[in-house]
Amino acid sequence: SLRIYFDFSGYTDIAIGLGHLVGLKLPENFDRPYLKTNLTSFWNSWHITLAQWFRAYFFNPVTRALRSNGRNLPAWLVIWITQLSTMALIGLWHGITWNFLIWGLWHGAGLFIHNRWLDWQRGRTTSAPASQTRQKLNQLAGWFLTFQFVTLGWVWFALPDVSSSIKVFAGLFGIGGGA
């Protein structure tokens, strides 16, 4: 996780520095993504310019198209379709391989689950605020789950093929008879 972050963030810092040398102000592209407490916040702070571009030019137009023209699709289905397809395209933007596609679908599914979790929680929250201890524990749990999800996803991103990734997952979870 750290190698991938330092690699991407370092290239961005080099580009920002070179831009300053020639009088251009380039936007920051990372905002402490590994400290975020949910996957949506992670993607709002990881490779920000790419995520914003796909949101503006793919996700939002496709969402509008699916909700218009007399289609009566349920909101959850529109979210499922747009999040999976957007993240699949972001994966393929990194490279046309099965692993990048799976990595994108991994994040699309994670974003959809997070969205559904938030929607489910809205109807179950009480009006009484949680104690500070409870809030801190919830933040810690959110950070831990987000970091683990993102870190496991890097297996798909970093390895060259599906079989290598499956071997790593098998090893991580003690599945199979590997030596």
Side-chain angles (χ1 to χ4, degrees):
S1 289
L2 291 177
R3 186 189 71 80
I4 289 173
Y5 171 74
F6 290 138
D7 186 38
F8 279 173
S9 182
Y11 289 139
T12 299
D13 289 342
I14 291 169
I16 290 170
L18 290 172
H20 281 291
L21 289 175
V22 296
L24 296 174
K25 177 152 177 44
L26 299 174
E28 285 295 331
N29 218 12
F30 296 90
D31 180 20
R32 301 180 306 257
Y34 287 151
L35 298 179
K36 303 308 179 194
T37 58
N38 63 64
L39 199 55
T40 301
S41 294
F42 171 84
W43 273 104
N44 286 332
S45 64
W46 177 273
H47 212 326
I48 297 168
T49 55
L50 179 68
Q52 287 175 342
W53 190 92
F54 271 97
R55 189 178 300 119
Y57 294 104
F58 183 78
F59 179 85
N60 289 338
V62 172
T63 299
R64 280 190 298 275
L66 290 174
R67 288 187 173 173
S68 64
N69 298 332
R71 293 185 182 94
N72 216 5
L73 297 174
W76 69 266
L77 183 58
V78 171
I79 293 165
W80 171 255
I81 292 168
T82 53
Q83 286 182 325
L84 275 182
S85 60
T86 301
M87 294 310 296
L89 287 174
I90 287 175
L92 292 171
W93 178 86
H94 286 86
I96 308 296
T97 69
W98 285 111
N99 268 32
F100 284 126
L101 176 63
I102 293 168
W103 174 78
L105 293 172
W106 173 273
H107 278 277
L111 286 165
F112 177 76
I113 291 166
H114 177 246
N115 177 277
R116 297 293 80 209
W117 170 256
L118 288 178
D119 196 50
W120 179 81
Q121 270 193 322
R122 274 190 205 105
R124 288 162 177 71
T125 57
T126 63
S127 58
S131 70
Q132 279 190 327
T133 303
R134 175 97 178 188
Q135 288 176 355
K136 293 285 184 192
L137 287 173
N138 285 343
Q139 286 178 333
L140 183 62
W143 167 80
F144 180 79
L145 290 172
T146 302
F147 186 75
Q148 298 307 311
F149 183 86
V150 170
T151 298
L152 287 172
W154 290 133
V155 170
W156 299 109
F157 189 91
L159 295 176
D161 56 59
V162 174
S163 64
S164 298
S165 299
I166 290 171
K167 286 178 188 175
V168 168
F169 279 115
L172 285 171
F173 295 105
I175 301 169

